Amino acid sequence: MAEFFADVSPIRFEGPDTDSELAYRVYDPDRVVLGKRMEDQLRIAVCYWHSFAWPGSDIFGAGTFDRPWNDEGRDPIDAAKQKADAAFEFISKLGVPYFCFHDVDLSPQGDTFAETRANLEQMVDYAADHMKATGTKLLWGTANVFSHPRFAAGASTNPDPEVFAYAAAQVKNAIDATHRLGGENYVLWGGREGYETLLNTRMGQESDQFARFLHMVVDYKKSIGFEGTLLIEPKPQEPTKHQYDYDCATVHGFLERYDLVGELFVNIEVNHATLSGHSFHHEVAYSVDNGIFGSIDANRGDPQNGWDTDQFPNSVEEMSLAMYEIMRAGGFTTGGFNFDTKLRRQSMARDDLFHGHIGGIDTLAQSLLVAERLIEDGTLEAARNERYAGWSGVLGEEIMGGTVDLPALEKRVTAGDIDPEPVSGRQEQLENLINRTLWRTVE
Ligand code: XLS
Ligand code: NI
Ligand code: NI
């Protein structure tokens, strides 16, 4: 088979002093960090969508990338096979363990639903052969129920139940494909599950529909014995003005309201976190602390742009703080870091895709080492423990255990038995600790 990335050899760990641009300086798959191999801690996945399906177009201009499978007039299955060949060559040269896909990116849509389904089955078999040959595993699969015009007013939240039914059929097949390929998770990103204007929208009705859809997904997953984790990917807006999965706390409230806690977890995207007005650290800490953490979509935003720029991660500081929260809670279970990142439109050389991923992966690896140092040092954890120590004492247990009420507390305060002294939150000291840890070089 002709190589697509013929000029690039497999990427290896060469350490911080290498002169090669096409090598890892920090990501050393076999290095043991916090009790596991780095590869098993980070669980990195390359995503089809922006790396192989997107042509490099934007609303002002045509595609710029060299992606021959997107050329006009190609036989759709031949083109999909060439795309798969290039994708698996890339993943195996990059040396990462996972990939992930949207149904329509793996396989072309046919003239009828039945044809689309047959195409998917054929391309799933084709992908399975590549997975076997390269040892690549599937982190997650998902369905694109947002691009086609039928989904313009949403998929499960559409005012037309026939659109709900169509989306259900498509998601069923995408779950089957994910299951067949041994996927460890299934993602639901509700790209158009929101509204453009409240003038024509019933939010309560749409929420009920969305919940009904998710219950159907949960039931189906169980009925076929799919053991992967179901993940919702929060995003506040874009393409819709407002999206119901606004952020992790909103998703959590929704899961509570519709009795879905424990069935669905979150796939947190860095760029979506910042678009919702939070830090990525906040979104990860919220979901870890509240038991809904699942996986990470590593795309970052640009601080000057208010949209989803989907760039490769390059801030060790941003990643390290989130990595700390993930690792102190024991690390990933079925989740991992997926790169659904976009090259810039001018990055049209074939090897640009390698440079983007290598930089992102080294950023994650370095962040993991920072998290390891913070955990082994223990100062941050100790400071948090000390700050909340009162809650393990008698008074804290009485309050949380429900054995005291307002009058009982008022009595003790009046008697002078309770008279709290303000204490320092030590913010600057803790910020210095983070910086000192970031400044230390890789060992
Ligand atoms: C779009 C989303 C999408 C999901 C999967 O903003 O990030 O790529 O990750 O559908
Ligand atoms: Ni995403
Ligand atoms: Ni995104």
Side-chain angles (χ1 to χ4, degrees), residues 49-50 189 233-235 238 269 271-272 275 297 299 308-310 340:
W49 190 13
H50 292 138
W189 172 61
E233 187 172 318
K235 188 175 183 181
E238 193 208 21
E269 182 170 317
N271 204 162
H272 299 181
L275 285 177
D297 191 328
N299 310 1
D308 203 7
T309 59
D310 290 323
D340 189 14

Side-chain angles (χ1 to χ4, degrees), residues 251-388:
V251 168
H252 188 203
F254 180 90
L255 297 179
E256 290 279 2
R257 178 174 158 207
Y258 289 104
D259 198 22
L260 286 161
V261 170
E263 302 290 3
L264 290 124
F265 297 82
V266 284
N267 186 35
I268 305 171
E269 182 170 317
V270 184
N271 204 162
H272 299 181
T274 49
L275 285 177
S276 68
H278 303 300
S279 64
F280 175 50
H281 186 194
H282 167 96
E283 288 292 81
V284 171
Y286 178 89
S287 58
V288 167
D289 252 19
N290 288 285
I292 58 164
F293 177 73
S295 197
I296 299 289
D297 191 328
N299 310 1
R300 72 171 167 96
D302 178 305
Q304 266 103 57
N305 288 348
W307 67 87
D308 203 7
T309 59
D310 290 323
Q311 288 173 255
F312 288 90
N314 65 358
S315 164
V316 172
E317 181 175 357
E318 183 174 47
M319 279 293 168
S320 295
L321 295 174
M323 193 77 79
Y324 172 73
E325 306 296 344
I326 297 168
M327 293 301 153
R328 68 179 269 281
F332 289 110
T333 51
T334 63
F337 280 98
N338 83 258
F339 283 92
D340 189 14
T341 33
K342 275 174 160 163
L343 287 169
R344 296 305 87 192
R345 193 164 170 265
Q346 294 171 60
S347 303
M348 52 195 64
R350 285 192 187 179
D351 66 357
D352 284 324
L353 198 58
F354 281 94
H355 291 288
H357 282 85
I358 289 168
I361 291 168
D362 266 347
T363 299
L364 294 180
Q366 176 72 350
S367 306
L368 179 64
L369 296 179
V370 173
E372 178 188 44
R373 278 186 218 126
L374 288 169
I375 288 169
E376 286 177 351
D377 169 79
T379 310
L380 207 51
E381 197 67 21
R384 276 186 190 169
N385 288 342
E386 194 189 320
R387 193 154 183 256
Y388 291 90

Side-chain angles (χ1 to χ4, degrees), residues 81 84 88 106-107 118-132 177 180-181:
K81 286 184 176 169
F88 282 95
L106 189 69
S107 140
N119 287 347
L120 183 62
E121 281 166 3
Q122 185 179 349
M123 286 312 301
V124 161
D125 286 342
Y126 196 75
D129 290 343
H130 270 303
M131 287 170 72
K132 204 165 166 213
R180 150 92 170 81
L181 295 175

